[in-house]
């Protein structure tokens, strides 16, 4: 991941930052604006590719939504990691809540954008679509927003907890997928994928209506990956390190102050 996309510096923050100010930081550098553009561009590119390779009889909203939303969710948390990482330079005075809300709202907007891309691709498919092309479209569209928000909250947490921005961004890919692969590779642990791996949860959300069991699994994933990690990040920003001691301030280049 090059310096042109994930910068080590960041955007200055203030102790009384608001949600609009956090939004401005989200697109506050050229590199971040490029990252936003790449994220949004992935939607139509993947939708066009799926439309080209899937048989018309099999082309549905859900078939389009899963690859579009999953691949867009790869880069979405990079922005959350960078946005939250800015706060590490003022760990005792920074407000985490505005950054969290701005990041989550941006992720929800990405999910909505992906849904619109899928809808347009389905309507404009040159060879038509399946007779039940819109089956479960509402449930899948709602699930897509949740997929992007959870991915983003993983990014915000790692942005605060991991010292270097590049490693925080890479962690949003390596940690969830690594856990999913590890649990899938060990037979007795495979059932835990649905309870602990964000990728398995995303697949359920983008497949159609969720059962009560699936919602319970999603809530566990949300608690482990979003709520708990961001709570740890908030504690670090208020001056409590992982062992209960004071957290050290961090310079823009990643070293301790």
């Amino acid at each position: 991941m090059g310096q042109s996309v994930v910068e080590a510096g960041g955007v200055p923050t203030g102790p009384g930052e608001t949600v609009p100010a956090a939004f401005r930081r989200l697109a506050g550098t050229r590199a971040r604006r490029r990252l936003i553009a790449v994220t949004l561009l992935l939607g139509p590119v993947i939708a066009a590719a799926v439309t080209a390779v899937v048989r018309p009889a099999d082309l549905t909203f859900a078939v389009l939504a899963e690859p579009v939303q999953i691949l867009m969710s790869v880069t979405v948390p990079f922005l959350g990691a960078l946005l939250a990482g800015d706060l590490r330079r003022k760990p005792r005075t920074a407000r985490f809540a505005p950054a969290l809300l701005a990041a989550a709202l941006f992720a929800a907007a990405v999910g909505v954008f992906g849904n619109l891309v899928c809808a347009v691709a389905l309507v404009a498919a040159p060879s038509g679509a399946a007779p039940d092309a819109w089956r479960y479209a509402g449930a899948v569209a709602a699930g897509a927003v949740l997929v992007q928000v959870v991915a983003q909250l993983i990014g915000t947490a790692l942005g605060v907890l991991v010292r270097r921005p590049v490693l925080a961004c890479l962690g949003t890919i390596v940690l969830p997928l690594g856990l999913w692969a590890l649990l899938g590779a060990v037979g007795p642990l495979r059932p835990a994928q649905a309870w602990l791996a964000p990728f398995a949860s995303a697949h359920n959300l983008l497949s159609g209506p969720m059962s009560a069991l699936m919602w319970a699994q999603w809530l566990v994933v949300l608690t482990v990956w979003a709520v708990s990690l961001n709570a740890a990040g908030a504690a670090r920003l208020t001056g409590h390190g992982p062992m209960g001691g004071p957290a050290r301030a961090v310079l823009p280049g990643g070293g301790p102050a």
Side-chain angles (χ1 to χ4, degrees), residues 7-77:
E7 65 275 57
V11 182
T13 65
E17 182 177 60
T18 62
V19 173
F23 265 117
R24 288 192 292 271
R25 281 199 299 110
L26 190 71
T29 68
R30 182 179 299 177
R32 295 184 188 189
R33 291 191 289 272
R34 287 175 180 172
L35 186 54
I36 292 172
V38 168
T39 300
L40 298 179
L41 184 61
L42 280 173
V45 169
I46 300 303
V50 172
T51 302
V53 301
V54 173
R55 295 188 311 161
D58 298 326
L59 189 63
T60 67
F61 185 86
V63 167
L64 279 165
E66 182 161 2
V68 166
Q69 298 288 354
I70 290 292
L71 289 173
M72 290 177 74
S73 73
V74 172
T75 55
V76 162

Side-chain angles (χ1 to χ4, degrees), residues 35-225:
L35 186 54
I36 292 172
V38 168
T39 300
L40 298 179
L41 184 61
L42 280 173
V45 169
I46 300 303
V50 172
T51 302
V53 301
V54 173
R55 295 188 311 161
D58 298 326
L59 189 63
T60 67
F61 185 86
V63 167
L64 279 165
E66 182 161 2
V68 166
Q69 298 288 354
I70 290 292
L71 289 173
M72 290 177 74
S73 73
V74 172
T75 55
V76 162
F78 293 178
L79 288 156
L82 295 172
L83 186 69
D86 293 338
L87 304 177
R88 299 182 80 247
R89 297 196 299 279
K90 296 182 179 180
R92 293 183 183 277
T93 59
R95 296 176 60 205
F96 197 20
L100 276 179
L101 184 55
L105 289 174
F106 172 77
V110 171
V112 172
F113 174 78
N115 288 332
L116 292 175
V117 167
C118 292
V120 170
L122 194 58
V123 171
S127 302
D132 57 347
W134 298 97
R135 189 181 185 191
Y136 303 140
V140 172
V145 173
L146 296 179
V147 167
Q148 300 298 347
V149 170
V150 171
Q152 183 74 297
L153 293 179
I154 294 173
T156 57
L158 293 182
V160 174
L161 295 172
V162 178
R163 181 177 298 274
R164 295 192 178 278
V166 171
L167 295 181
C169 293
L170 289 176
T172 65
I173 301 174
V174 174
L175 295 179
L177 284 183
L179 178 64
W180 176 80
L182 176 63
L183 295 176
V186 182
L189 298 180
R190 195 166 295 132
Q193 272 186 330
W195 294 92
L196 297 175
F199 180 76
S201 175
H203 172 74
N204 289 339
L205 285 166
L206 296 170
S207 296
M210 298 264 285
S211 66
L213 176 61
M214 289 177 178
W215 279 117
Q217 292 166 341
W218 179 78
L219 286 173
V220 172
V221 169
L222 178 71
T223 301
V224 171
W225 286 94

